[in-house]
Amino acid sequence: MLNFTPLLGAQSDSPASQSLLELDGGVKILVDVGWDDSFDPSKLKGLERHVSTLSIVLLTHAAPGHLAAFAYCCKHFPLFSRIPFYATTPVISLGRTLTLDLYASAPLARGVIPQTSLSDASYPSLPLSADGENAHILLPPPTAEEIATYFSLIHPLKYSQSHQPLGSPFSPPLNGLTITAYCSGHTLGGSIWHIQHGLESIVYAVDWNQARENVIPGAAWLGGGGGGEVTEQLRKPTAMICSARGAAQTALSGGRRKRDERLLSMIRRAVARGGNVLIPTDSSARVIELAYLLEHAWRAELAKGDADKDKDDEDSKSFRHAKLYLAAKSAGSTMRYARSMLEWMEEGVVREFESEGTAEANVRQRPGRSGDDRDADQPSKARAGPFDFRHLQLIERPRDVAQAFRRVAKARDRGQPSAAVVLASDASLEWGLSRDVLRQLASDDRNLVILTECHGELGDVRDQGFPSVSRKLWGWWQQERRRDGPDATLEQDVVSGNGREMELREPRRTTLEANELLVYQQHLATRKQLHTMLPQEGNAGAVTSLDNIDDASSDDSTSSDESDSEQQGKALNTSAALASSSRSKMQLTDRELGVNILLRRKGIHDFFVRGKKGRERMFPFVARRRRVDAFGETIRPDEFLKAEERDDAEGQQQGKPGSGKDQARPALGQKRKWGDVESGDASGRRPGPSASGTAKAPRGTQDQAARAQPGGRDDGARANGVDTSDDEGVSGESDAEGESEPTIGPSKLVFRNERIALRLGIGHVDFGGIHDKRSLQMLIPLIEPRKLILVEGSKEETTLLAEDCRRLLKAKSGGSSDEADNVVFTPVVGRTVDASVDTNAWTVRLSEALVKRLRWQHVRNLSVVHVNGHLSATAKGEDDAETEQGSNKRPKIDGQETALSKGDNRGSSREREPESPPVLDVVPPALAATHRSVTQPLHVGDIRLADLKRSLQGSGHVAEFRGEGTLLVDGLVSVRKLGTGKMEVEGDSLSTSHVTPDGALREGIFNHIKRRIYEGLAVVAGA
């Protein structure tokens, strides 16, 4: 059984992807936790309804459309963090940097309290803002520590690693569920998931790319023998979920090389005119491909210019005078992780890294070189690795963006040619540093913005009430390109903005007003009550986080005007009342606690399990799961601190909530006793906490923490090769006190509309790394899925691909049009489709005598056995023996059981038990002869000509392909494989057996090949 429900991303232009798969036994699998650029919490309502029934969660890509809502769900959905998550190591690492960049750059990502949650009668009516809308009160965001904790919960997997996951605490048994990740080719570590559950073989493949790129390898579809056959594990699945995005696009003729040349030509022309270039992209996935390409293009052009100094090469001059930047708040962390993931990249990158290491070793071992001379070779070109950036400088602060353009302007004022080429996040231009760069470049017609992704039509904005900036630019570019026609030149690929006005909607954070603060605190108190009423396991962290938030909101209220004290007091009293009521509800009776009474009640060591079922019969032992990463079992660094270091660490923790004396702090709304003095400064005031409820550490501690974090200040400076002490250099890490917003506690969003005139040029080069029409039409018939479900694409793309797939699958199978319609499904968001496949399967039990006679044969990765037995309803003696054994044990458990309960009740319980499956036993001797006479031999397996060729070449034969599907061996024997799978072997008289001069009979090539073919098959027959 397979019921598929798209929660987001079906028949829409939204990049968000969320899919729910329901299998036999109630097993539910969620694939991806994506979000679009609107960051609307109402779009996650469908996911929230299914959280308590999910078994596992799979993540495919480290991109906003697949991962942006992960931290939000862990923060605000109480049970979500208790579900097992699975992803590859690059998705975990790059997803963490993406989430940090998202919450540092996009205030909307924190989430707004929905108006439906504020419609209760207990909340006062909110005042309308200046634009007539209700106040957008922000939810508390996850801190950096919480984000790191959430991503540490994800179990890392490798490609082609079959794994049987463990279900969530509230999941039914998984019954042998197996998941396997394969390379998708879209992002680094991106996955195509193969899910095996019983007879269901499901392939989940969204956003894959068959073409190999500079850094990211191609998808693992064609991994079979000879490279022209689909990987065995991915062939003929019972259901395939595939994305329809890109179904209407055709690949650029010339492939990757032509695409790269097109991008570099656009940059070269803009720089030659004296303009700057903006390339918006994401901050974790596709940016690695673009950064590698531009860095190596700068190296090649400058090296060519150094070799031909006498020649007047305008191209090398353009690149020599242009500065290359990567602007993202997590750029240092992303590139640091990329340097440690070379095994996940294309083979060319690995060879480049190995050659760099070899060149470095040769330099160090060169005779006659002193240590100083070797150190002098440090900046040599031979020592530059794939991601040792010499020309790409990292920018992680908005003020550094403005500083970079000021340096370009100063150089031009001095008459020196200068330009800036900036890779900036995000590709949507709705958040991140790319928006700041766009403002800098909008007014000059010499500048250029190059879009790297395809978007939906400008008029189709059903998924977003306010279309993104990149979608508007894409719509303008498409309109101009349609006028030029399909034969447009490279110069015509860049269209002018022509002074068109664009409205930018800029969200700004501001403090809450009095009645808004009351609503905010009541909402948090209600959430705390819901969190407290959940099962105790894994719930303490959520309640502690909410307590810290309440402290922050209360501190903010005390710093407000005195006129608002009355309403703030009401909020505190309401929060305290709700907290106390939730605690009183947790005073459950012994009957309600059940077996958990052994943990929740002191002095109770016994529990009566007679008549109990399931967990009530087992001791409630909670096993601490060991965390394991790629380097083994994770350790806690604080356990290895020295005595003096431990004292320093404890001293730094005294000012943080939840540690030391803060644990004894009274609940929200309660009074302190006389003599209780809270930790504070010299004046006795409480330290002002931040939005996350933590006290501000000293400057030195912040600097140490920044250096310790991935991509810290020191790491960014080393990566760029820039001295941070120089004012002219661009630093590689954001300063905690320089660019971060002031700590204002609970806040709301105020939107400010700004109009800018766009005079810059607009270009497009497809660096999205998504499959095109040709790849879909070629690979889907080769995969031969029994059911095909199309998601992730506009309505037009989904309809077009569905028609093509019905036609291709019908031609492949030779079926009717009605059967083809039942094979391809195009669901909409929230609509469940039944993609189950009719299978004839029965469950039987094998007798012990039959199991001993089985002889298994292994063919590739399969084990085959021929079973010839006699089926009977129930094996005699087995059930009776178990019943008798149970009846003998029963008096020992309960000595007061009466004879009536031993007899009549035992019989009634046997009638209530489900019927046992039939038993397959050894064939009786009277029927054995009959079975042997009618049983025919059967060959199981699939011989591939590529595998046969390698086997014969290993035996010393000369084997080569001649024509299509024909293998010629030693020029004497030809092996041909027909479309039905049948093998034909043809040879002449010289290929048969012959007698050698010494009188021995020697096997000929013909018989040798036949024997090799039969060795690759399992021959099963009656025994």
Side-chain angles (χ1 to χ4, degrees):
M1 184 194 78
L2 171 61
N3 291 332
F4 178 81
T5 307
L7 302 179
L8 283 180
Q11 295 195 32
S12 67
D13 289 317
S14 173
S17 174
Q18 293 179 12
S19 302
L20 183 66
L21 287 71
E22 184 176 1
L23 307 177
D24 285 327
V27 177
K28 290 187 177 181
I29 302 174
L30 176 67
V31 186
D32 284 336
V33 198
W35 220 354
D36 55 22
D37 302 324
S38 63
F39 302 112
D40 186 2
S42 62
K43 296 184 178 181
L44 304 178
K45 290 296 183 182
L47 170 59
E48 187 177 7
R49 287 193 296 267
H50 294 281
V51 167
S52 60
T53 61
L54 293 178
S55 300
I56 61 173
V57 177
L58 305 179
L59 304 175
T60 57
H61 300 283
H66 301 268
L67 199 67
F70 176 73
Y72 179 91
C73 294
C74 292
K75 176 75 174 180
H76 300 290
F77 297 166
L79 298 177
F80 190 79
S81 59
R82 299 174 60 184
I83 305 173
F85 310 104
Y86 295 91
T88 59
T89 302
V91 172
I92 299 173
S93 301
L94 298 178
R96 184 187 298 114
T97 62
L98 168 66
T99 306
L100 291 172
D101 186 19
L102 182 65
Y103 281 96
S105 306
L108 270 174
R110 304 181 178 205
V112 178
I113 299 179
Q115 297 299 323
T116 55
S117 301
L118 304 178
S119 61
D120 193 89
S122 61
Y123 293 110
S125 58
L126 291 178
L128 294 178
S129 57
D131 55 359
E133 298 181 356
N134 288 329
H136 298 81
I137 302 178
L138 288 175
L139 292 169
T143 63
E145 292 78 9
E146 289 176 336
I147 292 175
T149 301
Y150 298 151
F151 279 90
S152 67
L153 299 176
I154 305 177
H155 299 267
L157 296 179
K158 298 180 180 180
Y159 284 151
S160 303
Q161 175 188 353
S162 298
H163 180 73
Q164 291 188 352
L166 298 176
S168 61
F170 35 86
S171 168
L174 300 186
N175 297 326
L177 175 69
T178 304
I179 57 175
T180 310
Y182 294 91
C183 180
S184 68
H186 172 56
T187 60
L188 194 63
S191 303
I192 296 174
W193 287 103
H194 178 250
I195 305 170
Q196 185 73 41
H197 185 260
L199 297 178
E200 293 287 346
S201 176
I202 305 168
V203 174
Y204 189 92
V206 295
D207 292 350
W208 50 271
N209 183 22
Q210 183 60 31
R212 296 189 304 175
E213 299 188 90
N214 297 297
V215 176
I216 304 173
W221 291 116
L222 303 179
E229 299 181 5
V230 178
T231 304
E232 181 69 27
Q233 290 77 10
L234 302 179
R235 294 178 60 193
K236 297 182 179 180
T238 56
M240 176 181 176
I241 298 97
C242 182
S243 53
R245 186 178 295 121
Q249 301 176 5
T250 57
L252 183 66
S253 60
R256 180 188 68 189
R257 187 181 302 274
K258 186 66 175 180
R259 180 201 64 179
D260 297 348
E261 292 177 357
R262 197 181 192 91
L263 175 67
L264 296 177
S265 298
M266 285 186 180
I267 296 174
R268 190 178 291 111
R269 291 176 181 275
V271 171
R273 292 196 307 266
N276 302 316
V277 180
L278 167 63
I279 307 176
T281 181
D282 56 64
S283 61
S284 60
R286 300 297 304 173
V287 66
I288 299 177
E289 175 74 17
L290 286 166
Y292 178 89
L293 170 63
L294 295 180
E295 169 68 21
H296 284 68
W298 251 250
R299 292 183 190 178
E301 293 289 347
L302 294 181
K304 184 174 65 175
D306 294 339
D308 301 333
K309 292 183 179 180
D310 298 335
K311 297 181 180 180
D312 189 10
D313 192 350
E314 294 295 334
D315 294 343
S316 60
K317 285 185 177 181
S318 299
F319 280 88
R320 178 178 284 106
H321 300 308
K323 301 297 183 180
L324 187 60
Y325 300 101
L326 172 58
K329 291 191 175 181
S330 60
S333 302
T334 300
M335 293 306 158
R336 187 176 65 87
Y337 282 126
R339 297 187 192 102
S340 63
M341 298 176 185
L342 295 178
E343 69 273 12
W344 299 85
M345 299 181 183
E346 178 63 26
E347 295 180 358
V349 180
V350 179
R351 288 194 298 267
E352 180 182 353
F353 177 79
E354 293 175 351
S355 62
E356 179 268 335
T358 303
E360 180 180 356
N362 293 336
V363 170
R364 290 185 176 276
Q365 296 177 3
R366 188 178 303 171
R369 305 277 295 188
S370 63
D372 296 337
D373 295 338
R374 294 169 186 172
D375 295 338
D377 288 336
Q378 183 70 22
S380 63
K381 297 179 181 179
R383 301 280 296 279
F387 290 94
D388 294 335
F389 297 125
R390 295 190 173 279
H391 308 283
L392 183 68
Q393 300 184 26
L394 307 185
I395 296 178
E396 297 190 351
R397 294 182 293 190
R399 70 180 184 186
D400 289 336
V401 174
Q403 182 181 359
F405 286 109
R406 283 196 299 268
R407 289 201 302 272
V408 172
K410 290 180 180 179
R412 291 176 179 175
D413 294 342
R414 293 193 297 265
Q416 300 176 359
S418 181
V421 179
V422 184
L423 279 170
S425 69
D426 179 69
S428 64
L429 294 168
E430 284 295 311
W431 55 273
L433 299 181
S434 60
R435 200 178 181 99
D436 299 330
V437 178
L438 182 64
R439 289 193 182 94
Q440 297 279 347
L441 306 184
S443 59
D444 194 342
D445 56 358
R446 297 175 299 175
N447 298 331
L448 174 66
V449 55
I450 303 178
L451 304 177
T452 57
E453 295 182 3
C454 301
H455 301 271
E457 293 292 337
L458 182 60
D460 189 7
V461 292
R462 298 185 301 272
D463 303 304
Q464 300 181 7
F466 199 85
S468 64
V469 176
S470 60
R471 178 172 292 189
K472 291 180 181 179
L473 296 177
W474 168 260
W476 295 347
W477 182 82
Q478 275 195 321
Q479 292 175 4
E480 297 295 332
R481 290 285 289 123
R482 291 193 184 103
R483 297 175 186 175
D484 297 335
D487 299 331
T489 61
L490 181 60
E491 292 81 359
Q492 294 173 333
D493 279 344
V494 177
V495 301
S496 175
N498 294 326
R500 297 187 185 185
E501 287 192 353
M502 175 178 291
E503 184 176 0
L504 300 180
R505 195 182 188 205
E506 189 69 24
R508 296 289 183 183
R509 291 178 57 201
T510 183
T511 55
L512 296 179
E513 300 177 0
N515 56 343
E516 295 171 344
L517 183 61
L518 171 64
V519 172
Y520 174 80
Q521 292 174 334
Q522 287 179 334
H523 179 75
L524 293 186
T526 304
R527 286 182 54 235
K528 184 192 297 184
Q529 179 183 6
L530 296 176
H531 282 231
T532 309
M533 295 178 64
L534 291 174
Q536 194 69 18
E537 180 185 356
N539 189 36
V543 177
T544 303
S545 177
L546 291 174
D547 289 337
N548 295 337
I549 295 168
D550 280 344
D551 291 341
S553 61
S554 63
D555 289 344
D556 184 76
S557 64
T558 57
S559 62
S560 304
D561 297 335
E562 294 180 358
S563 60
D564 300 333
S565 60
E566 182 180 357
Q567 298 227 4
Q568 294 164 0
K570 292 180 180 179
L572 295 175
N573 294 334
T574 304
S575 301
L578 288 174
S580 61
S581 65
S582 65
R583 295 187 183 96
S584 64
K585 289 184 179 181
M586 288 304 294
Q587 300 299 328
L588 303 177
T589 63
D590 295 348
R591 182 180 182 87
E592 292 172 342
L593 284 175
V595 72
N596 291 325
I597 193 174
L598 300 176
L599 299 178
R600 302 285 294 276
R601 294 284 190 267
K602 294 183 178 180
I604 297 179
H605 309 284
D606 194 10
F607 181 73
F608 187 69
V609 298
R610 170 68 65 183
K612 304 295 183 180
K613 296 182 180 180
R615 295 186 178 181
E616 295 293 324
R617 294 183 61 89
M618 298 182 295
F619 185 82
F621 174 72
V622 181
R624 297 296 180 182
R625 187 168 53 187
R626 298 166 60 187
R627 301 297 178 190
V628 180
D629 55 12
F631 301 97
E633 183 179 357
T634 57
I635 61 174
R636 298 179 58 183
D638 54 348
E639 295 179 353
F640 300 90
L641 293 177
K642 298 180 181 179
E644 56 273 12
E645 294 175 349
R646 191 182 305 276
D647 295 338
D648 295 340
E650 292 176 356
Q652 293 178 5
Q653 294 291 333
Q654 288 180 359
K656 295 185 178 181
S659 63
K661 296 182 179 180
D662 289 339
Q663 293 181 353
R665 181 180 298 175
L668 184 62
Q670 296 181 358
K671 295 183 179 180
R672 291 187 289 108
K673 296 181 180 180
W674 290 103
D676 291 346
V677 180
E678 297 186 2
S679 60
D681 53 12
S683 61
R685 297 176 55 188
R686 294 174 59 185
S690 62
S692 60
T694 57
K696 186 174 180 180
R699 175 62 183 270
T701 306
Q702 290 181 356
D703 292 342
Q704 294 176 2
R707 295 186 183 95
Q709 290 293 331
R713 186 180 300 113
D714 293 346
D715 180 71
R718 287 192 299 267
N720 299 334
V722 179
D723 186 6
T724 55
S725 62
D726 188 3
D727 293 336
E728 293 297 325
V730 180
S731 68
E733 178 64 26
S734 60
D735 191 354
E737 297 184 357
E739 291 297 333
S740 61
E741 296 184 3
T743 302
I744 55 179
S747 59
K748 65 179 179 180
L749 281 182
V750 177
F751 293 94
R752 180 175 61 88
N753 295 333
E754 175 187 359
R755 285 188 170 273
I756 60 174
L758 294 180
R759 295 182 174 84
L760 77 172
I762 305 172
H764 172 258
V765 180
D766 188 7
F767 269 83
I770 301 293
H771 46 64
D772 57 356
K773 182 177 181 179
R774 179 177 175 272
S775 299
L776 291 168
Q777 293 181 353
M778 178 187 70
L779 283 172
I780 291 180
L782 292 177
I783 299 171
E784 299 183 60
R786 300 182 66 177
K787 300 288 184 179
L788 178 62
I789 304 174
L790 300 179
V791 294
E792 273 202 35
S794 64
K795 185 176 182 180
E796 293 76 13
E797 290 175 329
T798 305
T799 304
L800 177 62
L801 181 59
E803 294 176 355
D804 293 340
C805 291
R806 290 189 182 102
R807 175 176 52 83
L808 294 172
L809 294 176
K810 176 185 175 182
K812 182 77 174 179
S813 61
S816 60
S817 58
D818 295 336
E819 294 177 354
D821 293 338
N822 296 329
V823 169
V824 182
F825 299 93
T826 56
V828 297
V829 174
R831 184 74 58 85
T832 302
V833 297
D834 185 4
S836 304
V837 177
D838 296 332
T839 55
N840 298 323
W842 297 269
T843 301
V844 297
R845 294 172 55 189
L846 301 182
S847 65
E848 185 177 354
L850 182 62
V851 171
K852 293 180 179 180
R853 300 181 59 178
L854 298 181
R855 298 295 180 266
W856 293 92
Q857 301 183 58
H858 302 282
V859 181
R860 298 178 68 88
N861 58 342
L862 302 176
S863 297
V864 183
V865 66
H866 178 265
V867 180
N868 191 8
H870 178 70
L871 191 65
S872 59
T874 306
K876 296 181 179 181
E878 293 185 4
D879 290 349
D880 296 340
E882 294 178 0
T883 305
E884 183 178 358
Q885 183 181 4
S887 62
N888 293 335
K889 292 182 178 180
R890 189 165 302 174
K892 299 179 181 179
I893 299 176
D894 189 0
Q896 300 177 356
E897 191 172 10
T898 62
L900 180 61
S901 63
K902 296 179 182 178
D904 298 341
N905 290 346
R906 185 170 69 249
S908 61
S909 64
R910 289 185 59 186
E911 294 176 358
R912 290 193 300 268
E913 291 180 356
E915 297 181 358
S916 59
V919 177
L920 191 65
D921 203 350
V922 180
V923 179
L927 300 177
T930 306
H931 281 74
R932 286 196 188 96
S933 61
V934 299
T935 303
Q936 299 294 329
L938 180 66
H939 296 84
V940 179
D942 184 18
I943 296 295
R944 299 180 180 180
L945 292 181
D947 297 339
L948 181 61
K949 175 185 174 182
R950 287 194 294 267
S951 177
L952 294 174
Q953 289 177 345
S955 301
H957 297 280
V958 178
E960 56 184 354
F961 285 104
R962 292 291 181 89
E964 183 177 358
T966 302
L967 181 65
L968 182 62
V969 183
D970 291 342
L972 300 175
V973 180
S974 63
V975 183
R976 186 179 299 106
K977 185 176 182 180
L978 304 181
T980 58
K982 183 180 180 180
M983 304 287 292
E984 288 186 352
V985 183
E986 298 179 355
D988 53 12
S989 58
L990 297 177
S991 62
T992 58
S993 302
H994 61 280
V995 179
T996 60
D998 55 358
L1001 182 62
R1002 182 178 180 183
E1003 182 184 25
I1005 303 174
F1006 184 84
N1007 295 331
H1008 177 71
I1009 295 175
K1010 289 181 60 177
R1011 183 166 56 83
R1012 286 300 181 93
I1013 293 176
Y1014 282 114
E1015 287 177 354
L1017 299 173
V1019 182
V1020 294

